Structures are given as structure tokens and as C-alpha cells.
């Protein structure tokens, strides 16, 4: 088998991204456990084992708070780029529909397209539906973890615990969410605008080096 047909060559991007994700997740667990252990020591509380930490509000809240904002960012980006354009951006569809080229290789269409009806309709929007479901799942897990963490802190201070509903209405929870959400849309704005003028040779996220700044626009 030639190197170009190897599993690594065909799936290198997702494998490297998966390895980076897992590496940083492990680093988050280790450093988060250490930081939370120090917090509990300072409060005169017993330390948590690593397995107990993974079930704590500190870890659950921090992890799913970030995942939630990522899924929101990607889901909104998928939807907004359907109808909105940015002249000259490598991340935008062309302003002129005549300039769009939809490449379809030879081969059978996916089964929902062949069957048609409601399955085809669902499949036509399956990417945004998947991101919506992932966002809702991580939002619930973030709120649950954040609620657990707040009540852990309240217990350490001998204060009355809050209900999950009361926590959802608290400004602190929404502060946690908004600081992540705004940064995700800043990241999308950056790639959309910077790709108008800047280049990264050979990257599919960039226009060719010799392309005019106005390319994808008219």
C-alpha cells in the first residue's frame, strides 16, 4: 500500500486534532486537580482523589462550559454562512451565485437523499441539528457542573445551597457563559476578516497567494 493510501495519510488531520485534544484534556485534568486541591487546602477541606475530581462541579463546569461555546460557535457559523456573505473572505461563499462550483464525485448518494421525504429534509439540515443537540447537551452539563461547584463552595462556607433553577437565574452562571460565547464569535470574526488580506500558503482556509483581496466577491 502506498503512503498516500495509508490510514494515516487519509485521516491525518483528524488523528492529529484528536491527539491534541486528548493531550490538552489530560493536561487540564492534571492542572485542574492540582489547582482545586490547593483551593480546598486553603479552605481547610479534605482533598479529592483524581476520580472524585472528575465527578466534581469544578471539572464538569470548566469542561462543558468550553465545549458548549465551541458547539455554539460552529453551529452558528454553519447556519450564518448559508445566506450571509463577506466580500473577499476565504471563509465566505461567492457573492455571485454563478461563481459557485459544487463538486460531486461519482458514486451513490447517501441513503437519506435516495429515500427522499422527511429523511432527505433531516439530512439536508443534519449538520446544524447535530451542533444544536451538542450545544444543548453541553449547556445542560455546564449548568449542572456549575451548580454543583457553587453548592460545594456554599457548603464550605456553611451557607444554604441553591436549587438548580435558582442557579440558572444567577448572574454568575451567565457571566461564565457570556465570556466564552463572545470569545468564540471573536475567533470566527477574526478568520473571516483576516483571510481577506492575509494568506497561509497551501491551507484550504486561505485564498491562493496570488489571489486578489477581492476574490470571492465581485
Amino acid at each position: 500500500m502506498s503512503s498516500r493510501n495509508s490510514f494515516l495519510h487519509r485521516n491525518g488531520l483528524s488523528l492529529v486534532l484528536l491527539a491534541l485534544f486528548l493531550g490538552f484534556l489530560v493536561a487540564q485534568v492534571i492542572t485542574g486537580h492540582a489547582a482545586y486541591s490547593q483551593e480546598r487546602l486553603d479552605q481547610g477541606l479534605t482533598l479529592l482523589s483524581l476520580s472524585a475530581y472528575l465527578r466534581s462541579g469544578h471539572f464538569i463546569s470548566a469542561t462543558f462550559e468550553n465545549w458548549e461555546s465551541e458547539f455554539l460557535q460552529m453551529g452558528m457559523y454553519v447556519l450564518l454562512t448559508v445566506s450571509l456573505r463577506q466580500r473577499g473572505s476565504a471563509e465566505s461563499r461567492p457573492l455571485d451565485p454563478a461563481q459557485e462550483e459544487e463538486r460531486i464525485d461519482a458514486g451513490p448518494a447517501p441513503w437519506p437523499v435516495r429515500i427522499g421525504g422527511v429523511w432527505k429534509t433531516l439530512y439536508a439540515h443534519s449538520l446544524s441539528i447535530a451542533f444544536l443537540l451538542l450545544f444543548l447537551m453541553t449547556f445542560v452539563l455546564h449548568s449542572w457542573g456549575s451548580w454543583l461547584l457553587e453548592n460545594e463552595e456554599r457548603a464550605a462556607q456553611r451557607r444554604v445551597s441553591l436549587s438548580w433553577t435558582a442557579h440558572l437565574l444567577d448572574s454568575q452562571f451567565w457571566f461564565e457563559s457570556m465570556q466564552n460565547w463572545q470569545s468564540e464569535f471573536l475567533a470566527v470574526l477574526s478568520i473571516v476578516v483576516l483571510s481577506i488580506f492575509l494568506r497561509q500558503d497551501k491551507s484550504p482556509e486561505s485564498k491562493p497567494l496570488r489571489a486578489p483581496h477581492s476574490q470571492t466577491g465581485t
Side-chain angles (χ1 to χ4, degrees):
M1 180 184 293
S2 68
S3 61
R4 292 198 172 186
N5 290 325
S6 68
F7 179 81
L8 279 176
H9 182 78
R10 289 182 284 113
N11 302 282
L13 182 59
S14 58
L15 289 173
V16 169
L17 289 172
L18 177 61
L20 288 169
F21 162 69
L22 293 175
F24 285 121
L25 181 60
V26 169
Q28 177 197 328
V29 170
I30 295 171
T31 56
H33 183 226
Y36 193 46
S37 294
Q38 186 59 55
E39 285 182 24
R40 292 181 68 86
L41 276 176
D42 293 342
Q43 296 170 354
L45 302 175
T46 57
L47 298 183
L48 297 180
S49 66
L50 185 60
S51 61
Y53 173 70
L54 293 176
R55 301 189 300 272
S56 71
H58 189 275
F59 173 74
I60 294 171
S61 176
T63 301
F64 289 103
E65 177 185 350
N66 282 290
W67 291 12
E68 159 201 299
S69 59
E70 296 296 338
F71 292 133
L72 174 66
Q73 176 211 73
M74 295 308 299
M76 291 300 296
Y77 185 59
V78 165
L79 285 173
L80 292 174
T81 51
V82 171
S83 56
L84 300 179
R85 305 289 185 272
Q86 174 55 55
R87 182 177 184 271
S89 174
E91 298 297 309
S92 171
R93 292 167 59 186
L95 298 180
D96 183 358
Q99 294 180 338
E100 293 197 84
E101 296 181 7
E102 190 175 60
R103 173 189 164 185
I104 301 178
D105 291 343
W111 69 265
V113 177
R114 297 196 304 271
I115 292 175
V118 67
W119 291 109
K120 181 180 179 182
T121 301
L122 287 173
Y123 189 66
H125 303 283
S126 57
L127 184 57
S128 56
I129 291 172
F131 276 122
L132 173 62
L133 293 176
L134 287 167
F135 168 72
L136 292 175
M137 178 190 72
T138 50
F139 179 84
V140 169
L141 288 169
H142 164 216
S143 65
W144 178 57
S146 182
W147 172 60
L148 289 178
L149 179 59
E150 179 167 1
N151 280 336
E152 288 168 10
E153 294 172 348
R154 283 174 166 265
Q157 299 166 4
R158 303 183 186 279
R159 297 167 60 198
V160 178
S161 62
L162 283 179
S163 68
W164 184 54
T165 303
H167 177 70
L168 281 177
L169 297 175
D170 186 67
S171 59
Q172 178 62 33
F173 170 73
W174 289 103
F175 169 70
E176 294 173 4
S177 296
M178 293 304 131
Q179 64 179 325
N180 275 304
W181 294 6
Q182 56 85 14
S183 66
E184 296 301 334
F185 286 104
L186 175 62
V188 173
L189 175 64
S190 298
I191 186 64
V192 167
V193 175
L194 292 178
S195 68
I196 298 173
F197 308 104
L198 306 180
R199 305 287 188 272
Q200 178 56 56
D201 197 20
K202 303 296 191 296
S203 173
E205 300 302 312
S206 169
K207 292 181 289 193
L209 287 178
R210 295 180 59 84
H213 292 322
S214 62
Q215 186 167 318
T216 73
T218 55

